[in-house]
């Protein structure tokens, strides 16, 4: 669900529409820099073209910032166990990384043998506090708790669906 917030940019008020998880991340990042979310949002779009969709640009910048944080966190690998269910079979897979790739290709950390799953369908990212699921522009989408996502927080036991497969973070 999108949430609109109004913000003054270069003397004009504009609305930015983002999913609540992105607003939460903007506020988290703003707090890290000791500034209000409005100032941080202006910082994110400082080099954006006037004609660009600002909401999409901000999403991209937030995800890029998370990717940079994750690259730093990669040294601090996170152990996790995942339940992968497909065709009435369930596997438990242990991982030890801050970034986990899932898809049809055999070089993924979580291999999903399903033709409706993209070669590299989604990634799971540990940000030091929580797991994120990020769709990698898959052809059939990634769903969390029944809702299509671009990026969202993964909670223990909440089903993440790619094709016919259901993946859950285990305790």
């Amino acid at each position: 669900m999108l949430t609109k917030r109004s913000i003054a940019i270069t003397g004009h008020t504009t609305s930015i529409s983002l999913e609540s998880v992105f607003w939460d991340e903007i506020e988290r990042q703003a707090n890290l820099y000791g500034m209000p979310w409005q100032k941080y949002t202006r910082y994110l779009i400082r080099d954006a073209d006037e004609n660009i969709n600002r909401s999409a640009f901000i999403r991209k910048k937030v995800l890029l910032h998370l990717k940079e944080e994750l690259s730093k966190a990669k040294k601090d690998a996170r152990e996790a166990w995942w339940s992968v269910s497909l065709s009435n079979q369930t596997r438990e897979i242990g991982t030890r990384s801050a970034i986990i790739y899932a898809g049809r290709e055999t070089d993924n950390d979580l291999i999903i043998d399903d033709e409706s799953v993209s070669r590299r369908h989604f990634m799971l990212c540990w940000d030091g506090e929580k797991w994120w699921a990020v769709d990698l522009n898959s052809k059939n989408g990634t769903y969390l708790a029944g809702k299509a996502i671009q990026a969202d927080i993964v909670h223990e036991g909440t089903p993440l669906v790619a094709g016919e497969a259901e993946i859950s973070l285990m305790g």
Side-chain angles (χ1 to χ4, degrees):
M1 181 172 176
L2 294 176
T3 302
K4 279 187 179 180
R5 291 190 185 180
S6 296
I7 185 170
I9 299 173
T10 62
H12 301 335
T13 301
T14 189
S15 292
I16 305 290
S17 297
L18 297 170
E19 295 81 359
S20 61
V21 70
F22 281 97
W23 286 121
D24 292 345
E25 185 58 23
I26 286 170
E27 288 178 2
R28 184 188 74 83
Q29 291 177 15
N31 286 334
L32 288 175
Y33 293 110
M35 62 178 74
W37 70 266
Q38 297 92 334
K39 185 174 182 179
Y40 185 73
T41 302
R42 284 187 207 96
Y43 167 77
L44 287 175
I45 60 174
R46 70 192 180 284
D47 54 352
D49 185 305
E50 286 288 322
N51 299 322
I52 198 160
N53 178 317
R54 289 182 172 142
S55 298
F57 187 82
I58 289 169
R59 268 189 207 91
K60 187 175 180 178
K61 294 287 268 193
V62 167
L63 289 172
L64 181 63
H65 183 83
L66 280 170
K67 186 177 179 181
E68 290 169 358
E69 281 185 349
L70 289 170
S71 293
K72 293 174 188 172
K74 197 170 186 177
K75 297 173 194 151
D76 302 324
R78 173 73 176 186
E79 184 175 314
W81 284 88
W82 306 91
S83 170
V84 180
S85 299
L86 178 64
S87 302
N88 295 324
Q89 294 183 350
T90 301
R91 303 177 286 149
E92 292 180 1
I93 301 171
T95 58
R96 183 159 177 76
S97 180
I99 300 173
I100 299 164
Y101 290 98
R104 215 174 56 237
E105 289 288 310
T106 57
D107 65 341
N108 287 298
D109 303 294
L110 299 176
I111 300 166
I112 303 170
D113 189 19
D114 177 355
E115 285 300 313
S116 62
V117 172
S118 296
R119 285 176 282 221
R120 201 144 294 195
H121 199 95
F122 66 90
M123 70 178 178
L124 297 160
C125 307
W126 176 252
D127 72 0
E129 296 176 22
K130 57 197 168 298
W131 283 100
W132 286 78
V134 179
D135 184 76
L136 299 175
N137 296 319
S138 63
K139 65 181 177 184
N140 292 321
T142 302
Y143 298 82
L144 187 63
K147 295 181 182 178
I149 63 158
Q150 187 173 27
D152 208 341
I153 298 168
V154 177
H155 298 282
E156 184 179 319
T158 302
L160 180 66
V161 176
E164 298 295 318
E166 195 170 280
I167 299 92
S168 297
L169 174 61
M170 299 170 60

